[in-house]
Amino acid sequence: MHATIDLGAMLANSYSMADGGRLPSKHATDGLNVSPHIGWQRIPRETKSIAIIMNDSDSSSGSWIHWGIFNIPPQLIELGEDQPKERNLNYGIRQAVNDFGKPGYHGPLGSTEKHKYVFTVCALDEMLQVKFNCTGEDLLKAMYGHVIEKALIRTYYGNKQKGEGLSVI
């Protein structure tokens, strides 16, 4: 049996974090709470926009959206770290209200429990039309049926050791 690699498959990458690795505390609320760099490659030709969702599937509620950013023009190949926590950004990019009730990125809070966080980069067949104050759930509903292809970056956070992370004085 031979392994095959699909060279056409969409890829997601980041210089802020490693797929399968621990999310650096810089991107957590007990750190600097800045959004990580996210890049993508090999998007389908018919892509009209890119959306990124950061989800905590280990949340006690079953799913917790930390970040929803969408209507990213397909000509862009990455988002830099520390995106502004505003609903409207340059190039027509928009951000949903996360499950903390705030627009933009909101990182995890360190705890003794280890949580998995998935950054899903989606190539969409349209620019999304959603209300100004859309939530992450609204974003997911608007994306339904419009995802051409997606790529993942999986990280974890939590299980903190004593003295790890920034302290509050």
Side-chain angles (χ1 to χ4, degrees), residues 144-160:
Y144 184 78
H146 297 287
V147 177
I148 304 168
E149 197 169 342
K150 62 186 175 181
L152 308 175
I153 300 174
R154 295 158 297 250
T155 63
Y156 70 90
Y157 195 74
N159 203 14
K160 291 179 79 79

Side-chain angles (χ1 to χ4, degrees), residues 159-165:
N159 203 14
K160 291 179 79 79
Q161 304 298 316
K162 192 171 189 170
E164 187 177 11

Side-chain angles (χ1 to χ4, degrees), residues 11-16 36-41 43 50 52 67 69 72-81 83 91 93 121:
L11 299 173
N13 56 60
S14 175
Y15 62 70
S16 300
H37 164 270
I38 305 277
W40 49 91
Q41 300 170 25
I43 64 170
I50 301 289
I52 302 169
W67 193 24
I69 186 165
I72 302 166
Q75 299 86 349
L76 295 180
I77 59 168
E78 65 184 351
L79 289 177
E81 284 188 345
Q83 291 296 310
Y91 310 108
I93 299 171
V121 181

Side-chain angles (χ1 to χ4, degrees), residues 28-86:
T29 56
D30 52 338
L32 299 175
N33 198 29
V34 298
S35 61
H37 164 270
I38 305 277
W40 49 91
Q41 300 170 25
R42 300 190 208 150
I43 64 170
R45 245 180 232 153
E46 61 274 21
T47 301
K48 301 287 190 255
S49 70
I50 301 289
I52 302 169
I53 302 281
M54 177 194 177
N55 182 48
D56 172 4
S57 59
D58 290 331
S59 165
S60 59
S61 66
S63 176
W64 193 263
I65 297 173
H66 284 257
W67 193 24
I69 186 165
F70 60 101
N71 286 350
I72 302 166
Q75 299 86 349
L76 295 180
I77 59 168
E78 65 184 351
L79 289 177
E81 284 188 345
D82 199 14
Q83 291 296 310
K85 292 173 173 54
E86 300 168 6

Side-chain angles (χ1 to χ4, degrees), residues 85-123:
K85 292 173 173 54
E86 300 168 6
R87 287 177 182 86
N88 296 315
L89 303 177
N90 292 334
Y91 310 108
I93 299 171
R94 296 190 49 206
Q95 296 190 97
V97 174
N98 58 47
D99 285 346
F100 295 95
K102 300 176 182 192
Y105 178 84
H106 194 285
L109 181 60
S111 72
T112 55
E113 295 178 25
K114 188 170 160 179
H115 284 236
K116 291 177 282 206
Y117 297 91
V118 178
F119 294 82
T120 306
V121 181
C122 300

